[in-house]
Every structure is written in C-alpha cells, then in structure tokens.
Amino acid sequence: MHLLYIDPHPVPDVCPEAMQILQTVDALAEVGCRVTLATPAPAAGRRCEEVLGRPLHANVECVHLKDLRAHRWLPIRSGKFFYRAAARFVAATPADGVLVRNLKLAEALFALPQRPPLVFETHEVFARTYAEDHPVPGWRERRKLAALRRREGGVYAHSDGIAALTPWLLDDLRAEYGVATPGVVVPDGVDLSLAATVTHKPAWSEPPVLLYLGSLHPWKGLDRLLAALPQVAGAELHIAGGPEARIAELRAQAAALGIADRLRFLGSVPPGQRFQTIADADICLLPLSDTSIGSRYTSPLKLFEYMAVGKPIVAADVPALQLVLRDGEDGLLAAVDDPAALARQINRLLADRGLAARLGAAAQARAGTYSWPARAMLLRDLFARLATERGQ
C-alpha cells in the first residue's frame, strides 16, 4: 500500500505537529506501507534523526514541494501556492490513499477530478474551539466563525474517511455537521524503544521534582497548576517548553503567589532529550482545562511519554484522559480546574512513595497500548477498508 501524507508545515521540525507527522509516517512504514511525505522544505540543518533519535524508515520518501511563503523577501502569507503544488503532486503520483490534517489543503485536493481515497486526520472541531476562544464575538469573529463552519463541514462531508484522536471528537464533529463519513479513533502514540534508553535515577530528588513538559497554551491548565503549588508540601516544580512570552506570564503569576523560588523553567527541551527530562523527575503532571480541546479532543503526546518512562502521573479528570488513565490504578486524576484537588493528589504521592512506584509501573505497562505502530495499523486498516469499498 502506497500512502501520501501531505501537510503545509515543514517536516522535519521540532514543533509538536511536525513531530507527530514524522512519527506517524515512520510507523506507517514500519507496519508495511510505502509512504511519501510531501511538505515545504524544512529549515536548514533540520534532520529526521533529531526528532526520532534514529534514521527515518527506509520506506518513507520525503518530497519538498514549492511554497512561496519560504521566501522571506516575498510579502506572501497565503498557503495557496503550496496547496496548488500539492494538488498537482497528488494528480501525478499513483497512490492508494492520501492523509491530510489541514482544512484548506483538503479543499484543494477535493477539486481534483480523480484522486485516491482521502482521510482527514482531525485534532479538534475547529468551529467549537474558535467559539470558545471568542465567547463575546464581534462581527468579524461571527463572520470568521460562519466561514470556518462552512469549510470544516464541507471537509468532513467530502472526505472518504476521518481519523479522530478521541471518540468524543468523532462524536462532536458528527453532531456539529451531521456527517456519516466512515471514521476511526486513532490516539497519538509514544516511541517505546526511545523511552527505554533513559537512565533512571536511584532515588527521588530532595526536594522532590514535579514536572510539566509540553506546550504552555492556556488550555493546558498551567495557571491552575501554579495555583495548586502553594498547597503542595515540600516539592519544586519544573516546567519544560513554551515561548518566552508565555514563560514571562507564568513567572509573574508565580511571583504573585509567592512560589517563584519553588519554580524552575527549563525552556525548550530538544526532542532527543525529552525522555531523559521525564526520567529525571519524580512526579509528572498534566493539569489541562475544561475546554473542548482540553477535555474532549486532546490525545497528549507527553502523557504517553510519561507513561512509557514509568513515572507516577497526576492529571486532570477529563474524558480524554479517562480513556487512558484509570484513577488509582495507573495514575491519579484530579477534578478539572480545581487547584486544591490537584494539590491533594500530588500530596498523596509525595506522602506514599510506594503508591507512586506502583502507579508508575502500571502506567509503563499500559503504555504499550499506545505505540506509534499500533496507531499506524488503525490508519492502514482504514485505508484498506476504503480501498475495498471503492473497488466494489
């Protein structure tokens, strides 16, 4: 089976989107597919080994399509040039299926008179998350939301298949747009072999180290985590990732709460070092928020990485995480948007290191369910099903 994965974001890159795409195509090749990855050219010096910790699978071919936005001297912000190049590439390249995750790109491919089955990989219902981000919309926001709903509904209706990160995401897009497009739930994954290369420390740090690793978007719940820290006994919090502007906001919040001396910002962690950063912590955290993207749509890469390293985890009690963690069995869940509840669960682990060890071991055992090849097999099987239906 030959699959095309096309995206307007340069790959390889170290942002979560590009890392997820690279892991996906590598795993598809591992489960027997031949994959052509078509993106704009990455920044000079970017290599697949930087993300994967090993060479990209030999059955993946990387093709870099022309994107005029790459020329800094051109005042171009539109991706139309890339979308047109992608459409020409799909038209000229025999394949058994196309995988995309960009709405405008999907629209451009739908205009082709003939194309292979197209699966849209969805990470959110864009219209719902946009509406949540603009609770009091002006006329510009209302106009943009209406256009977004038209575009998104059309993409889901015209796709041959949908790959959704969570069952709630698939349910919500069906409810929002009334589409019956074949769909499958494909959670994100983790590189188990890379996780196995870490060096585990012999004992907990003193004071114990709490870790949050990932992006610092507001929906990730970092403000609640900082609000919980004054109620946590004798531990320091390390936060890895995020831009300087967001770090400055969190520093200001920490200073107002009087916890600046218990907080350490690690900055951006190179992809190859992320598992060791997790191994160097004692308890790993994923607070999240009660938003659609934070509670129903997310399939957090870092959660699976925490699990694969065998760390005890305290996370938000939201549907998307209930799908992965069983409270009291392989992690502890805390009421969402409740700093006091989050602090209580962290304190339980600080006071009972035997419990922390048991939860970490159970999480590590469960991580095998979420390998990248397991995800790739779900995608491969969806394309095989679509090919069979088209043949009939």
Side-chain angles (χ1 to χ4, degrees):
M1 179 184 293
H2 179 206
L3 300 178
L4 308 180
Y5 196 135
I6 307 178
D7 195 82
H9 193 101
V11 178
D13 197 2
V14 296
C15 72
E17 176 182 346
M19 291 172 63
Q20 193 257 13
I21 291 172
L22 196 62
Q23 293 280 9
T24 296
V25 298
D26 184 70
L28 282 167
E30 185 175 339
V31 300
C33 300
R34 182 164 68 91
V35 185
T36 301
L37 173 63
T39 72
R46 291 292 191 207
R47 300 179 305 116
C48 295
E49 292 87 341
E50 183 182 0
V51 176
L52 297 175
R54 62 178 185 283
L56 186 62
H57 197 286
N59 282 343
V60 180
E61 178 188 10
C62 294
V63 175
H64 296 136
L65 304 180
K66 185 174 293 186
D67 183 5
L68 294 184
R69 290 174 299 175
H71 298 283
R72 297 182 182 277
W73 49 272
L74 287 173
I76 294 174
R77 297 293 178 265
S78 172
K80 290 181 180 178
F81 298 97
F82 177 82
Y83 306 146
R84 291 170 185 167
R88 291 192 297 269
F89 178 74
V90 170
T93 307
D96 300 299
V98 182
L99 182 62
V100 300
R101 52 178 286 179
N102 179 278
L103 293 174
K104 293 181 180 180
L105 173 59
E107 284 184 326
L109 300 184
F110 292 149
L112 292 172
Q114 290 186 321
R115 58 169 173 77
L118 184 147
V119 170
F120 190 85
E121 180 179 329
T122 177
H123 291 232
E124 59 184 290
V125 179
F126 292 101
R128 290 198 178 187
T129 54
Y130 183 84
E132 289 176 357
D133 289 341
H134 301 84
V136 187
W139 71 269
R140 291 181 185 276
E141 289 78 18
R142 291 194 297 271
R143 183 177 177 182
K144 185 172 182 178
L145 178 59
L148 181 57
R149 291 194 81 257
R150 288 193 298 271
R151 168 168 284 133
E152 188 172 34
V155 167
Y156 290 133
H158 290 95
S159 295
D160 299 284
I162 297 171
L165 290 183
T166 73
W168 295 277
L169 173 53
L170 192 58
D171 289 346
D172 282 1
L173 69 88
R174 292 200 190 285
E176 186 79 21
Y177 298 112
V179 296
T181 307
V184 64
V185 176
V186 287
D188 275 328
V190 61
D191 188 329
L192 298 172
S193 59
L194 196 58
T197 64
V198 302
T199 300
H200 292 277
K201 58 185 184 180
W204 281 38
S205 301
E206 293 298 339
V209 172
L210 315 175
L211 174 70
Y212 170 85
L213 173 63
S215 64
L216 306 185
H217 300 304
W219 62 267
K220 293 287 189 176
L222 272 296
D223 55 338
R224 283 78 164 182
L225 178 55
L226 294 190
L229 194 58
Q231 304 171 64
V232 172
E236 63 181 34
L237 173 61
H238 292 186
I239 296 177
E244 286 299 324
R246 178 61 173 148
I247 290 173
E249 293 175 359
L250 295 174
R251 285 189 191 278
Q253 182 185 353
L257 291 168
I259 56 169
D261 59 337
R262 299 175 58 194
L263 191 60
R264 181 182 173 196
F265 289 94
L266 306 182
S268 179
V269 174
Q273 296 179 19
R274 65 191 188 279
F275 285 107
Q276 190 58 54
T277 300
I278 294 169
D280 291 340
D282 298 303
I283 298 172
C284 290
L285 308 172
L286 193 62
L288 297 182
S289 63
D290 191 18
T291 58
S292 292
I293 194 169
S295 66
R296 295 173 64 82
Y297 304 161
T298 187
S299 182
L301 298 174
K302 295 304 177 282
L303 173 62
F304 302 128
E305 293 175 356
Y306 293 166
M307 294 169 67
V309 179
K311 288 298 172 180
I313 300 163
V314 177
D317 189 8
V318 296
L321 300 192
Q322 294 164 5
L323 189 69
V324 180
L325 293 177
R326 298 160 296 187
D327 186 34
E329 295 185 36
D330 40 33
L332 295 181
L333 299 178
V336 66
D337 291 343
D338 186 342
L342 186 61
R344 284 194 296 272
Q345 295 291 54
I346 296 171
N347 285 331
R348 280 182 66 188
L349 295 181
L350 292 172
D352 189 344
R353 297 189 182 183
L355 172 63
R358 291 193 298 275
L359 293 177
Q364 189 171 40
R366 188 166 170 80
T369 306
Y370 297 97
S371 69
W372 287 112
R375 181 179 202 267
M377 285 189 282
L378 294 170
L379 289 169
R380 181 197 62 189
D381 292 349
L382 175 59
F383 277 109
R385 170 185 163 196
L386 295 175
T388 299
E389 292 174 353
R390 179 173 285 198
Q392 292 176 343

